[in-house]
Amino acid sequence: MQKFIRHLAIVAGIGLAACGGGQSDQSAATTPTIPSSPMLRDQTTIPIGVALAVGSFEQASSIRYSPQASQLRNLAAHEFSSVVAENVMKPEFIHPQEDQYNWSDADYLVKFAKDNGMRIHGHTLVWYNALPSWMSNYTGDWDAMLADHITTVVSHYSSDINSWDVVNEAFLDDGSARPSIWSTHISDYIAKAYVLVHAADPDAELYYNDYNIEAMPKKLDAVLNMVTNFRNRDIPIDGIGFQLHIDRYWPSVTDIRQAFSRCVAMGLKVRISELDIRMNPNNTATTLTPELAELQRQRYRDVITAYLETVPYDLRGGITVWGLTDATSWTPGYYHIPDWPLLFDANFQRKPAWTGMSEALIATP
Ligand code: XIL
């Protein structure tokens, strides 16, 4: 019934995505093109998520401040059932001064998600990156500082956020511990973080999140050894987030399946947490040709199929793509190479990649 109501609203052009106070949104008058065929979120019962920019510092893609904010909100709310903040819940933005939390942008995202019946995944509490300078240069009691940060943020969202990336990217590709302010100043900081989050919100699902763990067995060894160690000490952890920032060639679907299966064998939940598939890793293309778009369709289909076939229903934490449209993807800026790694093009239109994801969701319920 809910699906039917959503469908009617879409056909009638009723904006489900409205969220109060669009600030510098100049696009409210234009009607975004939303196709009436089934949305991704209506093709499966597992969460289908998207990372959204919210802050004024990410204005070009922000669902709050971009000139295209209302189109971005509309597309997100129609196609997806889950959201994650691309940046605004990271410490640099949500905790800019020791005695000051900036809830405004993250609260905006939470309200948007609730208004549109979407679940919210928290990203991220403990990372080596995106730190405010006061944290990097801290000279006080580090254990107390970590506890204050985690307890304040998790408590603020305890009734709204269902799951957290508690620690992000704590290992290097060879499986060794990544040096960071946290590893330097706090003994056993990873375990302490999970205990703190669980104490602040006993209902939240707790994930460890990282990249390349689908491709580098030694890195996944380190993560799974950490889980075994946690279990021996009764430290809570529910699942593993595979970022899956991958490309058209790498890694193989066989490797991806193998990595998911190792987590499943330990009874861990598995999320695809930051999916994007770059089609121009060697900088040989200047545009997404129809041939590349077709290869991307197959690659999205194969990766999602691998997830659905290897991870049993009860262990599926969901699939999140890292951005809405190719025009808002982080990858061209990060790699300094043009690319088109997402499901929608710059004009908010579904790409063949969308079809590949949809084909997989429908074929493997
Ligand atoms: C990225 C954002 O997409 C960019 O906007 C930002 O400039 C840098 O961070 N792994 C993660 C994400 O866990 O938080 C990163 O997001 C991408 C890599």
Side-chain angles (χ1 to χ4, degrees), residues 40-157:
L40 289 175
R41 64 178 287 169
D42 293 332
Q43 297 176 15
T44 176
T45 53
I46 65 171
I48 300 295
V50 61
L52 295 175
V54 187
S56 55
F57 62 92
E58 45 193 350
Q59 205 234 5
S61 50
S62 168
I63 63 160
R64 187 174 188 184
Y65 298 104
S66 159
Q68 298 189 304
S70 77
Q71 283 101 320
L72 292 165
R73 290 198 302 268
N74 226 20
L75 184 61
H78 280 91
E79 292 275 7
F80 295 93
S81 56
S82 174
V83 295
V84 58
E86 184 169 355
N87 287 300
V88 297
M89 288 190 191
K90 294 170 182 172
E92 179 181 3
F93 306 107
I94 208 163
H95 197 174
Q97 304 291 337
E98 185 175 359
D99 56 357
Q100 182 201 330
Y101 285 86
N102 170 20
W103 304 115
S104 172
D105 288 330
D107 283 359
Y108 182 93
L109 180 68
V110 168
K111 179 176 184 324
F112 166 74
K114 288 167 71 177
D115 286 350
N116 290 289
M118 304 162 101
R119 84 195 289 290
I120 304 153
H121 177 79
H123 174 82
T124 180
L125 295 161
V126 182
W127 193 22
Y128 75 92
N129 210 347
L131 296 162
S133 58
W134 74 265
M135 237 180 218
S136 302
N137 301 317
Y138 196 63
T139 54
D141 178 339
W142 278 79
D143 279 77
M145 186 266 274
L146 179 69
D148 172 75
H149 176 74
I150 288 180
T151 307
T152 306
V153 175
V154 174
S155 304
H156 184 83
Y157 291 117

